[in-house]
Amino acid sequence: MTQHRRIALLGPGAPAGLLPAMVDLAVRGLPPGYVDGEFVFTRRGVRRPDGTWDAVAEGRSVRYSAIVALGVATLPEERQRAALAGDTAADLAGRLVGRLPGVRGLGDAALICWAAAETGHPGLDEALRHLAGIDRLASSGQVYTVEAAWELAALVAARTRLGASSELDGRLERARAGLLGGLASGRLYRHVLGPSSGPLVPWYRAHVGCFADQVYPLQALARLHAAVGDADALAAAEQVAAGICAAQGAEGQWWWHYDARTGAVVEGYPVYSVHQLAMAPMALLDLADAGGTAYLDEIGEGVRWMSERPESGESLIDERLSLTWRKAARADPKKLVRGLRAVATRTRPAARLATLDRFYPPVAVDRECRPYELGWLLYAWLFELPRPS
């Protein structure tokens, strides 16, 4: 099988050699989580009496189903049907469009709209109308940064599918302004756009943004530039990419929490498999495809962490179950470290509380796999972003 262009960019050998196997693993690993035309929330690890692991399906998730639709849409039809137990990505997107009357969250509606656009589903107009109604309800206060980024990405995908219109371009401009405004007072994104104090985050975390809060705006802004030639959007995407790459761990770790004011790492762990294999490559390769900086070394180091991580010798890739375990974390079930470091850096940005590293080492493995992790893996490495002319 011909190696995909994005994988080939990393050159021969490790870590690029791992990626074709991971694409195959994702296709095999999706069907066990696909139940009655919808994806489960997670496959949770359960230890068997003989010491091996099984994965038990739990819950349902519209959001994760939409992300999988995006990822599976990059595959040829035959492989789509293998990943979706006989369905295609368009079939899945159609079911999600049918669920829209009951969808109230901005993020879920945006992802469904995005999936409808990229699968060419005829329900795209309906999805756009529903998204517009939710957007008006959410526009008066704080909005999660991730959800605002998904909205912009969905609108860009819709414009690419449908062409320009005054109504769609007006919505694009409002979504763009919201994301660009989120960088006005710092180097990276906070967890929310809008007022720093409000109902969505506690006061002691108002200055903090997680890795997802950086990756999704980076991706959406890069795609906006690729679609319409928006230099300000590209500059903002470059700023965020430079920030997360400067903070990357010595062994390729994409750290978890940042001080949005300075770009410093507040708390590194947990480190997530999906960040290493999918989300960081997805956003940074979109930036490169849009004409921005190509952070190929950083992408490669992040992927390499999956097979050569220093935290322990325990693998996060389970070939037998066709999944990746979710994250490497501290033995800190009450999330004490991240809370204390958030409080400390609120008033003293350089505070580290280094003693906590000794008491809570990052030796735990979170044994679950959520379907979106495999969906983004496919999307990161198989999607082709049209390059600006």
Side-chain angles (χ1 to χ4, degrees):
M1 184 171 62
T2 303
Q3 191 177 46
H4 191 272
R5 180 185 68 83
R6 284 191 163 187
I7 296 175
L9 287 173
L10 297 188
L18 174 66
L19 293 168
M22 295 308 302
V23 168
D24 290 342
L25 178 145
V27 173
R28 297 194 312 272
L30 284 170
Y34 194 49
V35 180
D36 298 328
E38 185 178 13
F39 274 91
V40 299
F41 177 78
T42 194
R43 294 171 66 201
R44 190 173 304 280
V46 176
R47 190 184 287 274
R48 294 170 167 171
D50 64 1
T52 61
W53 290 90
D54 200 358
V56 178
E58 296 180 0
R60 297 287 189 275
S61 176
V62 167
R63 174 172 296 193
Y64 295 168
S65 296
I67 292 172
V68 172
L70 286 166
V72 171
T74 64
L75 296 167
E77 182 177 333
E78 180 181 352
R79 298 205 83 193
Q80 289 186 31
R81 295 189 183 280
L84 297 178
D87 288 341
T88 66
D91 293 333
L92 177 54
R95 290 196 190 92
L96 293 167
V97 170
R99 295 282 299 276
L100 278 171
V103 172
R104 296 290 179 265
L106 175 63
D108 292 357
L111 287 167
I112 293 171
C113 185
W114 188 355
E118 292 205 354
T119 60
H121 194 274
L124 175 56
D125 287 334
E126 179 185 349
L128 282 167
R129 286 192 296 272
H130 190 82
L131 179 60
I134 290 178
D135 182 34
R136 283 193 292 273
L137 292 175
S139 62
S140 59
Q142 291 182 324
V143 178
Y144 286 115
T145 300
V146 163
E147 296 191 341
W150 286 341
E151 180 185 25
L152 180 58
L155 294 173
V156 170
R159 188 183 189 276
T160 300
R161 175 68 62 177
L162 300 174
S165 70
S166 58
E167 193 272 338
L168 187 51
D169 285 355
R171 290 173 63 181
L172 264 175
E173 176 56 33
R174 290 189 293 275
R176 167 194 183 273
L179 272 190
L180 292 181
L183 282 180
S185 59
R187 293 189 60 191
L188 296 176
Y189 279 100
R190 296 182 292 113
H191 194 50
V192 296
L193 304 180
S196 58
S197 61
L200 298 186
V201 292
W203 66 268
Y204 63 87
R205 287 192 57 218
H207 63 298
V208 175
C210 71
F211 188 71
D213 297 325
Q214 318 313 320
V215 166
Y216 293 121
L218 193 173
Q219 177 186 37
L221 291 166
R223 288 178 171 221
L224 178 62
H225 173 68
V228 302
D230 188 322
D232 290 339
L234 180 62
E238 290 276 21
Q239 177 178 323
V240 175
I244 61 172
C245 288
Q248 187 180 25
E251 302 295 333
Q253 299 97 331
W254 296 110
W255 299 125
W256 181 219
H257 279 166
Y258 304 83
D259 187 329
R261 301 166 299 184
T262 65
V265 176
V266 171
E267 163 57 0
Y269 290 94
V271 174
Y272 288 80
S273 296
V274 67
H275 296 171
Q276 305 296 128
L277 280 173
M279 285 168 53
M282 176 175 72
L284 293 172
L285 289 169
D286 278 0
L287 175 64
D289 283 355
T293 304
Y295 288 98
L296 298 181
D297 289 344
E298 291 81 357
I299 292 169
E301 287 302 306
V303 172
R304 186 174 288 110
W305 180 88
M306 289 295 298
S307 56
E308 301 176 13
R309 66 189 186 92
E311 291 83 359
S312 81
E314 195 171 3
S315 178
L316 295 178
I317 301 170
D318 192 316
E319 287 282 355
R320 183 179 62 83
L321 294 176
S322 298
L323 53 75
T324 56
W325 296 120
R326 183 164 169 75
K327 62 180 183 274
R330 298 189 187 279
D332 177 19
K334 295 185 178 181
K335 304 178 183 178
L336 180 66
V337 175
R338 71 179 72 176
L340 289 174
R341 285 182 167 161
V343 172
T345 56
R346 177 69 175 163
T347 55
R348 294 178 55 219
R352 285 294 305 142
L353 304 180
T355 303
L356 294 171
D357 292 327
R358 186 168 69 253
F359 286 112
Y360 298 100
V363 295
V365 172
D366 182 357
R367 292 190 179 275
E368 64 172 310
C369 180
R370 300 185 183 181
Y372 85 96
E373 298 165 9
L374 303 181
W376 277 150
L377 194 157
L378 295 173
Y379 199 66
W381 296 105
L382 304 183
F383 184 80
E384 288 286 349
L385 182 66
R387 292 182 173 238
S389 56

